[in-house]
Amino acid sequence: MDFIAGETLYIDKPLGWTSFDVVKRIRGTLLRRMHMKKMKVGHAGTLDPLATGVMIVVTGRSTKLIDTLQAGVKEYVATIRLGATTPSFDLETEIDATYPTDHITREGVEEVLGRFIGKIEQIPPSFSACKVDGRRAYNMARKGHEVELKPKTLVIDELELLEFAPESITVRVVCSKGTYIRALARDIGAALGSGGYLTALRRTRVGDVRVEDCLSVDDAVAMLNEVEITMPEQNDSPDHSNRQ
C-alpha cells in the first residue's frame, strides 16, 4: 500500500472516541511503521464521541478527496428518548425539562416522521462545531453563553421508524451532508409535544461504504502493522530528514 500517494481506510469508530482520536491512532501507527515524522491523514465527516460507525480515513494525496467523500449520502440508526430534553440534545448534558408521553402513539410518530422527509430547514445544535463570530459554538455553549445559529437547508431522503415505545423510538435516517441527528431528535420531540434527545447513534453508511465494510480500530492497526508498504524513494537515503 502506498500511503503517501494515498490510501482510503474504512473504520468503525468506537463509542467514546473522537474522530481526531481515530486519525491520531492511524497516523501514529503509520509514522512508526514508516519511520517518518509527518504524514497527511484526515477523515471525511466528523462523528461525535457518543456516536459509532462508518468513518472514512484518508492518507497522503487522498486527503484531497475529503470534500467529495463527505458529500455522500449518509445513513444512521438513532435512538431518541422522548419526554425530556437536554441542552446538547444528547447525553453530553443533563436533562433540563420533562414532558408527558401518554399521548404518543406509533401512528402519531409515523405521521410526524413523514413531515421531516424531503427538503427541510434545520437549526444546528448550540453544542456543535459551527462558528459564530469566528468562535466554535460548543465552546460558547459550554461556558453558558447564548448561541444563535442560522437554519440550514438539508435533505432527509428516508426516515423510517424501527422501534417504538412511548418513551423511546429508534429510527433509520438517510440524509444529506450537514444533517445533525441530535437536532433532528430535538425537532421530532418538539413536533410530538414531548421533547426529545438522542441517546444512541450509529452511522451505518457513507456513500457506498457500509459499516459491514469497516474495520475496528484495533484490526486496522493490526493490518497496518502487517501490510506491505511502499516507501518514499528518499527514504532509501540514511540521512533523510524524516528518519527518526
Side-chain angles (χ1 to χ4, degrees):
M1 300 179 77
D2 192 334
F3 293 99
I4 301 299
E7 296 288 354
T8 303
L9 305 174
Y10 305 143
I11 307 295
D12 184 352
K13 189 191 83 65
L15 184 68
W17 285 50
T18 67
S19 298
F20 177 75
D21 289 335
V22 175
V23 169
K24 183 179 178 181
R25 182 81 183 277
I26 298 300
R27 182 192 291 118
T29 301
L30 287 172
L31 293 180
R32 285 190 296 272
R33 179 83 197 278
M34 298 174 70
H35 304 289
M36 296 176 66
K37 293 182 179 179
K38 292 191 298 183
M39 178 184 295
K40 287 185 178 180
V41 181
H43 65 86
T46 300
L47 272 178
D48 290 337
L50 296 176
T52 65
V54 180
M55 187 174 153
I56 300 177
V57 176
V58 288
T59 74
R61 299 187 188 98
S62 289
T63 54
K64 296 177 180 179
L65 303 175
I66 285 177
D67 287 345
T68 300
L69 291 170
Q70 66 186 11
V73 170
K74 297 174 177 63
E75 180 184 73
Y76 298 88
V77 173
T79 300
I80 303 169
R81 159 81 189 278
L82 301 175
T85 57
T86 71
S88 60
F89 313 147
D90 64 6
L91 294 171
E92 181 181 341
T93 53
E94 298 293 327
I95 290 173
D96 59 1
T98 58
Y99 305 88
T101 58
D102 294 344
H103 64 286
I104 298 176
T105 64
R106 174 182 284 272
E107 292 73 22
V109 170
E110 290 180 337
E111 188 276 325
V112 163
L113 295 182
R115 301 181 204 170
F116 291 91
I117 297 175
K119 185 180 291 187
I120 66 170
E121 296 287 308
Q122 183 185 80
I123 299 175
S126 298
F127 287 75
S128 70
C130 294
K131 287 189 175 182
V132 180
D133 297 328
R135 301 168 62 190
R136 294 291 185 187
Y138 61 75
N139 286 330
M140 300 170 66
R142 286 168 183 159
K143 293 177 181 177
H145 299 309
E146 290 290 331
V147 180
E148 291 188 12
L149 295 170
K150 296 180 180 180
K152 295 184 177 182
T153 302
L154 49 89
V155 177
I156 305 292
D157 294 307
E158 299 178 45
L159 187 51
E160 177 188 5
L161 180 63
L162 300 179
E163 297 178 15
F164 168 80
E167 300 84 15
S168 178
I169 59 173
T170 299
V171 297
R172 184 180 67 88
V173 187
V174 179
C175 56
S176 63
K177 171 189 173 183
T179 304
Y180 282 93
I181 306 301
R182 286 181 289 137
L184 184 62
R186 168 202 63 196
D187 295 341
I188 290 171
L192 287 167
S194 67
Y197 66 94
L198 197 65
T199 58
L201 181 65
R202 184 157 177 78
R203 187 156 69 192
T204 51
R205 179 166 65 91
V206 176
D208 294 328
V209 181
R210 297 186 175 276
V211 73
E212 294 84 1
D213 305 321
C214 297
L215 295 172
S216 69
V217 174
D218 286 343
D219 285 346
V221 168
M223 181 272 292
L224 294 176
N225 281 323
E226 295 174 2
V227 72
E228 182 177 342
I229 295 179
T230 300
M231 301 295 289
E233 290 183 8
Q234 57 264 42
N235 271 9
D236 293 337
S237 172
D239 61 354
H240 179 242
S241 61
N242 276 343
R243 289 284 186 183
Q244 292 182 324

